[in-house]
Structure formats: structure tokens, C-alpha cells
Amino acid sequence: MGVVDALSAVLPGLILGGHYALLILLSLYGAHRLYHLAVWRHVFREAPMSPDAMALDQWPMVTVQLPVFNEKFVVARLLDQVSKLDYPADRLQIQLVDDSDDESTGIAAQAIEELRLHGVAIEHVRRPDRTGFKAGGLDYAMRSATGEFIAIFDADFMPQPDFLKRTIPVFTDTEIGMVQARWTYLNREQSLLTRVEALMLDAHFAVEQMIRSRSGAYFNFNGTGGVWRRTAIEDAGGWQADTLTEDMDLSYRAQMRGWRFAYRGDVECPSELPSDVAAFKTQQHRWAKGAVQVMKKVLPPLWRSKASLHIKVEATFHLSGNICYILMLIDSLFFLMPSVYLREDSYASAWLWLDIPILIFASLSHGIYYLYAQRRLGHEVLRQMVIMPVVFAASIGLGVNNSRAVIEAIVGHETGFVRTPKVGGTVSEVGSSKPQAATYQALRFIWVDRLELLLGLLFTLFIGWSLARGQWLALPFLSVFALGYLSYGFASMRLDRSKQKPLTLQKARILEEPPLIEARDAPKHSQDHTVSERVF
């Protein structure tokens, strides 16, 4: 009984201490966002970058690379849109970097043939193998690229005709290695999910990228919708496939070599958001895991470098942010509900001195950040405020999915991945409530889906307990957690009953190589790509 009595005396303190320790760690990341707004908000008052347009005979050679894999719904649209780029035809090379193993290749070949008849300089690049996937494809295509600058667009992007003429002049500054444009979204209003995704990404592009760029901190190429100086890619060591976010990896390596990046928030590049939960979770898993892999790879040499403390601290917050998902999940599993129970008999005012600051920094700071981005973009802030509880729930609900990604990255566990599916169609069709149907394979981890559902049900039961005991202050927090986990859990159950094909981890690792349709003579890769097979 002595041990039991001692444990019962210590356990409440351990639970409350663990709960608040996790919240304080989360608050650091929230406080960092408020720091961005408080200290660097003045950068938005600076005049936007408007370099003088080059004279016609000064436009440099540009290669546009379009990496695709099984994009039968959008590849023709992509080629048509890129062919409309307003740039001197004799100084523009277009490469479709095609790793497809379905009818996409035939669709692309036909579209390319038609464009060639109209004088468009476009090549259909096919590899003997798929080593390195997107990074490997871009590295392979570089061997036959003729451009001094490399513009990259994923399959769902639709660059405007003036894209190159608004970005290439930035490179008159010879220290600029990359220019990133701002993403916009064709299907923003398609569903509540796409509205939430757009709101999250708006904060990244309208606030975070701008602040990092103008404050002198490192920021990343987003994988598409940007232009690279070729010598910057080569000087940084080229495309490497040892992380799942090859774009972020190359960005940090290039900036550590002394190249500066420019962000053009005034140049928009329309794209397509994942239209269902399965696709969204797959995308988020890849981004979270890749960021932690890059963190492991570049932070140690960055902290040993002569870069400023500002750059080092900002890079640490940037690359380690996904660790917050593990903190939230641990709190959900072990501390949050017991802490509410233990505080039942406490006076609410006794905790306010700790709860209110934590609430502001750990939760409301992110909401302020999101809404400030909407204000910067000229959107209706009040309309976006209505869905903020759903935004918080969506972030919390990703805890299981993204915690798995972070743990895999930390321990060095390799997994297979699938591309984020695109539905295609015109702008109006993509933005409609009934987009073109697409059957695709989605990488699934069944235990993740089940744990999400279990946590959602547990929080729902605890909401009932809180109602019965009059724990009114806890209800908003418990409700957001319940909504987040239940949303993802039930969406996964619907997926099980749909026509979509779940792809197990084992199957993802043994995907067959695509047949060689149009091989180009080129030497084999000198890089030793060790990343596991995946689809981008």
C-alpha cells in the first residue's frame, strides 16, 4: 500500500506537469509566429520587387521542366497551358519529364506532337529507370536541358503566360539563385476541405515566405511554381533523392552555399488542392516526413557554419515544426483528458494565470497568423473566421498521420509513397462541387485510421462526462479534438467502402518499373539514390 499511496500522490502532479510541459513547448512555436507578425510585419510595407524588364535581345535561355507520373487527367491541360508562355520561342525549351506507366504517356505524346506542329520546342523525356523519382527525373532531364534558368511546374499547375517575364528579370541580381511565386488554387471553393487547405497554405505563402525572404532568413523552393538559376542547382550538388522533399533539401544546400532566394508574392501560379481526405493525408505525410529528413541532414552543418544566429534559429523553427504533431498526439493519448479530470475540484481562477497565456501562444497565435494572411490577400476575414474551428480540428486530426511520418524520419524508416491525385478539367470544373472522378491508389496505414477513430470516440465520451460534471471551460478544447480525430477516422471508413484502391505499404515498395516508351540516350546517374521507391 505504501507504493500505491506514493504513486497516487505523485501521479496527479506528473500528469499535470506533463500536460503543461507539452503545451509550453507547443507555445514556443506559436510565440514564434506572433514574433513574425510583431517584429517583421513592416516588410509588407516595403515596395514589391519590380526589376526592370529586359530588352528582347537580352532574354536568356530558359528550360521549363514538367515532372509527371500517371497524370492522365491533367497532362494535356498542363502542356497546353505551358505552350502559352509569353517568351521568345528561340530561347524557350520545354521538357515533359514523364515517368508514367499508364495511358498518360500516350495522351502526352499526342499533345506534344500537336504542339510541335505549331512550332513549340518541346521534348518528351523518358528514363530507362525511375531511380530517385521526382529528384531523379529532374536530375536526368538536366543532362539535356539547354537553359541558363530552369522553371519547374507540377502537373496540376497552370502558369500564366507572363510568368517567365515577371520572374526572369529578378535574376539580373547575379546572387539570386531561385525565385518562388505564390500558389493560388483552382478548386479553393470546391468543399470545406479545400477551403481549409487553402487557408493553411495562404498563411505559408502570403506571410511566412514573404517574411523569411525579406528578413534575410532561409526559405524554401516549394517544388513547383518557381525558377532556378542552373548554376545554383549545380553548385549546391544537384537534385538528391535521400529525402522526400527534394525541393526543400536543395533550397537549404543552395542557400548554405551563399545563394540568395527571392519571393514574388505578387506573381500567382494557379494549382489544384487535394480534393479528399486520403489524398490530403498522403500529401501531408510526405511533407512532414521530408521536412524532418531535411532537418536531420542540414541543421548540424548549418549550426556549425558562419551563418547568422537569426538564420540558424529561423531554420530550426522552420524545419522542426512538424515535431508539434508528436507533442499534440502525446498530450491527446496520455495527458489532456486526465488533466481535465484532476482539475475538476480546483477553482478555475487558480489556473487562469497559466491557461490564458498558453491558450494565446499554443492555439490562438496560429489563428491570428491564418487570418492575417487572409487580410493581406484581401479576402473576407469574417468569412474565414467562421471556419477557424474546423481549421484547428483539421490540424489536430493530422496528429496521428503526421506523427507517424515524423517518427519514420527520425528513426530512418523508409516507406513507399503515391502521388497526390489531380482531377483536372477547366477552372470552373475543378472549382465545382462535382469534379471529374478519379480512381487512384492511396497509401494507407490501417492502424493510423483506427487510432484516429478511437481517439475521436474517447474525446466524444469525455465531452459527455464534462457536460454531466459542469466542466464548461474544457468543452471547446475537447470538441475541437473530437471533431478533428472523428473527421479523419470516418473519412477513412468511407474510403474503405469506396471504389478507391487502398495501397498497402508492402505493395508500395514493390511497384513495378514503368515500361520504356521513349528512351533518351544519356549516361546513368552518378548519384547513389538510396530513398525507397515512391510515386511523386
Side-chain angles (χ1 to χ4, degrees):
M1 288 298 293
V3 175
V4 174
D5 291 340
L7 184 61
S8 63
V10 172
L11 189 58
L14 292 176
I15 291 174
L16 291 174
H19 171 64
Y20 280 108
L22 291 171
L23 290 184
I24 289 172
L25 290 175
L26 289 170
S27 297
L28 292 177
Y29 289 88
H32 178 251
R33 290 200 157 184
L34 293 180
Y35 163 79
H36 268 182
L37 297 183
V39 177
W40 297 107
R41 194 171 62 176
H42 70 274
V43 302
F44 296 105
R45 295 193 292 271
E46 298 176 6
M49 183 182 299
S50 299
D52 295 332
M54 299 175 180
L56 184 61
D57 61 353
Q58 293 178 304
W59 291 109
M61 187 70 191
V62 175
T63 296
V64 176
Q65 294 182 334
L66 313 171
V68 300
F69 179 87
N70 292 354
E71 300 289 2
K72 61 184 179 181
F73 295 121
V74 295
V75 67
R77 181 187 73 179
L78 170 69
L79 293 168
D80 178 66
Q81 186 69 21
V82 171
S83 71
K84 298 175 183 177
L85 286 170
D86 179 18
Y87 201 78
D90 62 333
R91 303 190 181 189
L92 181 64
Q93 175 195 33
I94 301 174
Q95 294 180 321
L96 182 72
V97 186
D98 182 13
D99 277 350
S100 301
D101 59 4
D102 68 352
E103 59 265 45
S104 302
T105 298
I107 296 171
Q110 181 178 351
I112 288 172
E113 186 63 29
E114 293 177 358
L115 291 174
R116 284 173 177 166
L117 292 176
H118 289 84
V120 179
I122 184 168
E123 302 175 10
H124 197 171
V125 180
R126 295 280 293 171
R127 299 190 283 161
D129 59 69
R130 295 168 58 206
T131 303
F133 296 88
K134 184 176 180 179
L138 293 173
D139 180 60
Y140 183 89
M142 284 279 286
R143 301 172 186 275
S144 57
T146 59
E148 179 184 353
F149 298 97
I150 309 293
I152 300 173
F153 303 103
D154 282 349
D156 58 316
F157 277 70
M158 298 182 67
Q160 299 304 299
D162 64 350
F163 184 91
L164 293 178
K165 286 192 172 180
R166 297 185 67 189
T167 53
I168 292 298
V170 181
F171 291 101
T172 53
D173 183 340
T174 58
E175 295 183 353
I176 298 295
M178 190 278 299
V179 177
Q180 175 67 54
R182 178 169 62 87
W183 295 4
T184 56
Y185 316 104
L186 300 169
N187 60 336
R188 183 187 192 102
E189 298 299 326
Q190 177 183 323
S191 66
L192 181 58
L193 175 63
T194 56
R195 286 182 61 194
V196 168
E197 294 174 54
L199 196 148
M200 290 177 171
L201 286 172
D202 280 345
H204 172 69
F205 284 99
V207 181
E208 182 179 6
Q209 290 287 67
M210 181 70 75
I211 288 176
R212 290 188 183 281
S213 172
R214 295 193 177 181
S215 70
Y218 289 172
F219 72 98
N220 63 294
F221 169 56
N222 292 106
T224 175
V227 186
W228 278 87
R229 188 187 297 272
R230 181 177 186 144
T231 52
I233 296 176
E234 295 170 342
D235 182 55
W239 294 103
Q240 298 176 7
D242 54 349
T243 73
L244 299 182
T245 48
E246 64 288 321
D247 45 12
M248 181 179 287
D249 173 33
L250 179 60
S251 298
Y252 269 84
R253 285 188 281 115
Q255 288 170 108
M256 289 168 67
R257 291 286 298 171
W259 293 98
R260 292 191 295 108
F261 287 4
Y263 177 66
R264 289 297 302 268
D266 58 320
V267 179
E268 300 179 5
C269 194
S271 63
E272 189 176 316
L273 294 162
S275 56
D276 65 59
V277 169
F280 180 54
K281 287 171 66 176
T282 299
Q283 179 193 70
Q284 292 296 310
H285 185 280
R286 180 174 69 251
W287 288 357
K289 183 171 182 177
V292 177
Q293 289 174 326
V294 175
M295 177 188 74
K296 291 173 59 181
K297 180 177 180 178
V298 306
L299 274 190
L302 176 59
W303 274 95
R304 291 193 297 268
S305 74
K306 296 181 180 179
S308 68
L309 181 62
H310 168 65
I311 288 176
K312 294 175 180 178
V313 171
E314 285 294 323
T316 302
F317 273 104
H318 184 204
L319 297 177
S320 66
N322 287 286
I323 292 176
C324 291
Y325 288 107
I326 292 183
L327 302 180
M328 286 193 299
L329 182 61
I330 293 173
D331 196 40
S332 298
L333 287 171
F334 303 110
F335 297 110
L336 181 55
M337 287 183 281
S339 70
V340 174
Y341 172 78
L342 290 172
R343 292 167 52 181
E344 180 183 11
D345 296 329
S346 301
Y347 291 104
S349 59
W351 297 94
L352 290 180
W353 65 273
L354 187 58
D355 287 344
I356 290 179
I358 287 178
L359 172 64
I360 293 172
F361 289 119
S363 300
L364 296 184
S365 58
H366 300 285
I368 294 170
Y369 208 73
Y370 292 145
L371 294 176
Y372 183 77
Q374 298 306 300
R375 179 173 174 268
R376 290 293 314 164
L377 294 173
H379 298 163
E380 297 180 23
V381 175
L382 291 178
R383 182 172 182 265
Q384 305 304 325
M385 287 181 65
V386 173
I387 65 169
M388 285 309 300
V390 182
V391 173
F392 287 131
S395 299
I396 291 169
L398 285 171
V400 182
N401 181 74
N402 287 12
S403 291
R404 186 188 201 283
V406 172
I407 293 171
E408 288 173 352
I410 291 174
V411 303
H413 179 64
E414 297 179 356
T415 53
F417 281 81
V418 296
R419 65 180 178 86
T420 303
K422 291 74 173 191
V423 298
T426 64
V427 174
S428 60
E429 288 169 347
V430 172
S432 69
S433 59
K434 295 181 180 180
Q436 180 177 343
T439 300
Y440 63 92
Q441 291 184 315
L443 184 62
R444 299 286 307 287
F445 303 106
I446 302 301
W447 71 264
V448 170
D449 303 336
R450 300 299 179 260
L451 181 55
E452 289 167 349
L453 189 59
L454 176 61
L455 281 171
L457 293 174
L458 286 175
F459 274 100
T460 301
L461 291 174
F462 204 67
I463 288 173
W465 177 88
S466 299
L467 284 170
R469 305 299 288 263
Q471 294 286 329
W472 311 112
L473 293 178
L475 291 178
F477 304 99
L478 297 177
S479 298
V480 171
F481 276 79
L483 176 62
Y485 290 124
L486 285 177
S487 296
Y488 288 110
F490 280 120
S492 300
M493 290 180 63
R494 288 196 300 271
L495 178 63
D496 292 338
R497 297 193 299 269
S498 72
K499 295 181 180 179
Q500 296 168 358
K501 303 173 183 179
L503 179 66
T504 64
L505 176 59
Q506 182 179 9
K507 290 181 180 178
R509 285 176 170 164
I510 60 173
L511 289 172
E512 296 180 356
E513 298 292 340
L516 181 62
I517 296 178
E518 185 179 339
R520 297 176 54 85
D521 294 331
K524 292 184 178 180
H525 295 285
S526 59
Q527 283 180 279
D528 180 18
H529 299 295
T530 58
V531 71
S532 63
E533 184 162 3
R534 65 188 180 94
V535 180
F536 61 91

